[in-house]
Amino acid sequence: MPIVLIVAEQQPDGNLRKATLNAISAGKQLAEKAGGELHIALVGKDPAKVADELKGYGAKAVHLGAAAELEHYLAETYAPAIAALAQELKADYIGMASTAQGKDLLPRVAGRLRAAMATDVMAINGSGADITFTRPMWAGNVFADVKLTTPVKVLTLRATEFPAAAGGQGAAEVKTFSPKVEASKTKFVDFKEVKSARPELTEARVVISGGRGTKGDFKEIEGLADDLGAAVGASRAVCDAGWVPNDLQVGQTGKVVAPALYIAAGISGAIQHLAGMKSSKTIVAINKDPEAPIFQVADYGMVADLFKVLPELRAELAKLK
Amino acid sequence: MKILVTAKRVEDPESKIKVKPDGSGIVQEGLKYKINPFDEIGVEEGLRLVAKHQGEVVVVSIGGKEVQEQLRHALAMGAHRAVWVNHTGPVDQLGIAALLQKVVEKEQPDLVILGKQSIDDDQNQVGQYLAEFLGWGQATFASKVESMESEQEKNKVPAIVLTADKKSVQVIREVDNGLATVECQLPAVVTTDLRLNQPRYASLPGIMKAKSKPIEELTPAKLSVDVTPAIQVLKMSAPPARKAGIKVADVPALVEKLHNEAKVV
């Protein structure tokens, strides 16, 4: 029976990354289509912290590998642990959310197993041995259906394209294992977290993004975001200029988001930005330039100065409350 | 320091990519080609490291004879010499990494720098595959704290820092929710993110000099690598278009639409 192994991810605070839940539901879908079963793996210093949560998502088993050497994430120490578990389980598919960690780690796991890999999988098609994956190429300008022909197949799963798995679906068996620990030629030095009281960009229901039109002044964007409990995003130009932290960049090479509402203020809409947000359910564009490409994907467009519109918008939205 | 940098030939990121009606590929007519922007950042970082620590930047590309354009571009930026793996058929990321492994074994560099992904396949795999095949350390998504407007950037200071004993590099990685710093023993593999640096333009003397710099030709057969792809692209299609939206005249009209039609506020 085909085995689908989904690798879970903990945040620095030990809690589960929300994108893991989307990867689990994709894994469940894949297991159903392949006629197999879903397993979940987590390695680290303290994977047991999220054991209770992980066992409620309908997997056959949850495999937890704890080791002191795995305190700080490194691809070189996590890959041998995951690859050895996958071999022991005879996993046919190994998947993980398309987070920075997923994209760093899974190719190294795939390399170890000489497995072909599809990055940023958006859809799982077919059934049995004829499963194919849809993934974006050329910054989302092309969707490709690909087939992986190696015995083990590795995937990263784009969180915005799969629903978050719902808990309370019975209790999976929780198994602990001793992860394979190898010496690493890389050592962790430090992690500087960008702390924000706002929701994580890829998990927010509403995202307000600013572009070059802000000239670096994000006050009104942040104000509107706080009014709506929204996350703040930015175009590449804004991050390149150092006006906002890099991890706010929305785009094919930054974060891919798909919130219920995306408001683009002063963003022209370069192809690579559009690739990162055009799956949003409702898109609002505010730009002075009526020819800006962002209007081609916007449900509601306003040709106006964002510094005039945003304060008005905040006042008008306040009236709804 | 000997640094090997990749220079993949890709479609110009500004060009309009269209899928052929039969879904067999993209329309090639009218497209311009460039060095993969992430690889160009890698070339720049290699040049900065060598300017500071001395050494040599060797640039490598895999493809038909047209990839010599991208190699010449990197040579014009200042790379010292080039390796061209002449291969015209299909190849996937496993095959590319296997070829690069052989080139690395031949060249014995201290550091390999690759773009984190190429802007055509967007796979983000080759650097990690290569590091695993070689048993080397990896630092993906290399970035820096300083902005593109900073003094460090203007003075072309390398963001990858060689440690005092010259046996390791410190690399700042762009990851979710912040920046992680790792230290990799050399030799190591680094992949570049967008904000590592702003690549230089090739100067006219640079372009002239590049014409006489050597390009060594290799083939998968010479390197004894089987590049039969394990990824089959069965079909390509254009992403579904969003339905045309409307322009709203003023803020009250916008809020009315968001509240009553889209029901998102």
Side-chain angles (χ1 to χ4, degrees):
Chain A
M1 179 183 282
I3 303 287
V4 177
L5 182 64
I6 295 294
V7 182
E9 179 180 345
Q10 285 174 293
Q11 299 174 159
D13 64 7
N15 291 319
L16 207 58
R17 278 292 300 264
K18 282 191 185 150
T20 291
L21 303 188
N22 307 85
I24 289 172
S25 82
K28 192 177 287 180
Q29 202 188 107
L30 176 55
E32 277 164 19
K33 290 185 174 177
E37 60 190 30
L38 173 68
H39 291 244
I40 298 173
L42 180 61
V43 298
K45 184 173 165 252
D46 185 20
K49 183 175 177 182
V50 292
D52 281 340
E53 189 183 353
L54 283 175
K55 70 185 182 194
Y57 296 115
K60 173 84 178 162
V62 175
H63 306 268
L64 305 177
E69 294 87 342
L70 303 177
E71 177 178 3
H72 297 291
Y73 164 77
L74 286 171
E76 279 152 86
T77 53
Y78 276 44
I82 295 294
L85 175 69
Q87 280 179 311
E88 198 185 311
L89 294 173
K90 298 192 167 52
D92 299 88
Y93 296 92
I94 306 170
M96 189 170 174
S98 285
T99 57
Q101 196 177 114
K103 289 185 168 185
D104 182 51
L105 173 61
L106 279 215
R108 186 129 193 164
V109 172
R112 202 156 254 257
L113 303 171
R114 297 276 159 169
M117 174 170 175
T119 297
D120 277 332
V121 167
M122 306 168 74
I124 300 157
N125 321 300
S127 63
D130 289 322
I131 286 181
T132 65
F133 303 100
T134 305
R135 59 172 304 271
M137 295 173 74
W138 286 280
N141 283 299
V142 175
F143 287 178
D145 288 345
V146 302
K147 191 175 165 92
L148 307 179
T149 61
T150 46
V152 180
K153 299 154 180 64
V154 178
L155 322 160
T156 57
L157 299 144
R158 189 173 266 191
T160 54
E161 304 298 322
F162 299 94
Q169 300 179 55
E173 186 186 353
V174 176
K175 298 182 173 181
T176 56
F177 70 102
S178 296
K180 178 173 180 162
V181 175
E182 284 186 10
S184 172
K185 291 175 180 160
T186 301
K187 65 177 190 207
F188 171 87
V189 177
D190 71 7
F191 175 61
K192 289 195 179 65
E193 193 172 0
V194 180
K195 286 219 162 67
S196 169
R198 299 191 189 97
E200 153 80 31
L201 195 48
T202 53
E203 294 164 359
R205 201 188 70 88
V206 180
V207 174
I208 323 286
S209 283
R212 211 189 289 267
T214 63
K215 300 184 176 69
D217 180 357
F218 266 58
K219 222 165 32 220
E220 287 299 330
I221 286 173
E222 288 170 351
L224 177 60
D226 291 339
D227 293 350
L228 293 172
V232 170
S235 69
R236 177 181 166 183
V238 166
C239 295
D240 282 358
W243 292 339
V244 300
N246 292 343
D247 74 330
L248 297 192
Q249 187 195 328
V250 173
Q252 175 73 5
T253 55
K255 299 268 167 73
V256 177
V257 302
L261 173 61
Y262 187 89
I263 301 180
I267 291 179
S268 63
I271 291 169
Q272 86 89 28
H273 182 80
L274 300 184
M277 46 66 78
K278 65 185 176 190
S279 301
S280 305
K281 279 170 202 75
T282 299
I283 298 173
V284 173
I286 302 160
N287 201 300
K288 280 199 283 197
D289 174 10
E291 304 301 322
I294 190 81
F295 288 121
Q296 291 165 18
V297 301
D299 299 285
Y300 307 111
M302 263 189 88
V303 181
D305 181 355
L306 69 101
F307 290 105
K308 189 171 160 293
V309 171
L310 292 180
E312 270 183 63
L313 184 54
R314 291 180 66 186
E316 199 68 26
L317 288 169
K319 288 188 205 162
L320 289 177
K321 294 200 173 148
Chain B
M1 234 183 160
K2 182 165 171 181
I3 303 172
L4 183 73
V5 187
T6 50
K8 186 178 181 183
R9 177 182 173 89
V10 297
E11 291 73 19
D12 183 331
E14 302 300 323
S15 48
K16 184 98 186 108
I17 303 292
K18 276 193 232 132
V19 179
K20 285 185 193 164
D22 67 359
S24 64
I26 61 163
V27 178
Q28 305 281 337
E29 286 84 54
L31 288 179
K32 288 200 186 98
Y33 293 85
K34 282 198 158 173
I35 178 172
N36 176 38
F38 290 103
D39 287 344
E40 192 175 28
I41 292 169
V43 174
E44 175 65 34
E45 193 65 19
L47 294 174
R48 290 181 186 192
L49 281 164
V50 161
K52 185 165 178 181
H53 306 290
Q54 271 119 33
E56 182 187 33
V57 174
V58 181
V59 62
V60 56
S61 193
I62 299 166
K65 66 176 188 310
E66 62 281 0
V67 306
Q68 291 187 34
E69 279 174 41
Q70 280 61 50
L71 291 172
R72 293 280 176 214
H73 173 85
L75 293 171
M77 285 173 73
H80 299 83
R81 59 190 176 84
V83 174
W84 164 39
V85 181
N86 185 354
H87 174 68
T88 47
V91 59
D92 65 9
Q93 286 70 32
L94 276 167
I96 295 283
L99 290 170
L100 290 176
Q101 181 187 2
K102 291 296 171 106
V103 174
V104 167
E105 285 165 359
K106 192 169 168 295
E107 291 287 339
Q108 308 266 317
D110 302 296
L111 191 63
V112 182
I113 309 179
L114 310 89
K116 72 166 179 180
Q117 67 196 63
S118 61
I119 59 146
D120 48 2
D121 292 324
D122 283 332
Q123 281 273 55
N124 196 333
Q125 298 169 1
V126 172
Q128 295 90 314
Y129 271 140
L130 178 64
E132 173 62 30
F133 291 174
L134 292 164
W136 291 8
Q138 75 184 46
T140 56
F141 322 145
S143 189
K144 66 178 166 193
V145 177
E146 298 84 15
S147 82
M148 289 299 123
E149 316 291 326
S150 64
E151 283 304 307
Q152 285 91 335
E153 179 56 32
K154 286 195 184 95
N155 295 325
K156 302 198 188 299
V157 176
I160 296 173
V161 176
L162 190 62
T163 54
D165 65 6
K166 300 192 191 296
K167 286 185 177 153
S168 307
V169 284
Q170 277 213 358
V171 181
I172 295 173
R173 303 182 53 234
E174 196 167 323
V175 298
D176 296 335
N177 306 318
L179 294 171
T181 305
V182 294
E183 193 171 303
C184 298
Q185 272 173 41
L186 296 176
V189 172
V190 171
T191 76
T192 61
D193 215 318
L194 277 177
R195 278 166 288 271
L196 186 65
N197 61 49
Q198 177 68 49
R200 69 194 62 188
Y201 292 106
S203 66
L204 193 56
I207 294 167
M208 296 310 290
K209 260 204 211 144
K211 290 183 179 165
S212 57
K213 288 181 181 173
I215 297 182
E216 181 189 1
E217 183 182 342
L218 297 168
T219 60
K222 265 189 219 165
L223 295 167
S224 315
V225 176
D226 174 8
V227 292
T228 310
I231 301 178
Q232 296 171 359
V233 178
L234 304 177
K235 193 180 112 223
M236 291 190 192
S237 54
R242 282 186 78 92
K243 65 171 172 43
I246 56 161
K247 293 265 167 61
V248 290
D250 54 24
V251 169
L254 174 62
V255 171
E256 191 276 324
K257 289 286 184 195
L258 291 177
H259 188 59
N260 296 320
E261 195 174 84
K263 301 190 198 310
V264 285
V265 293

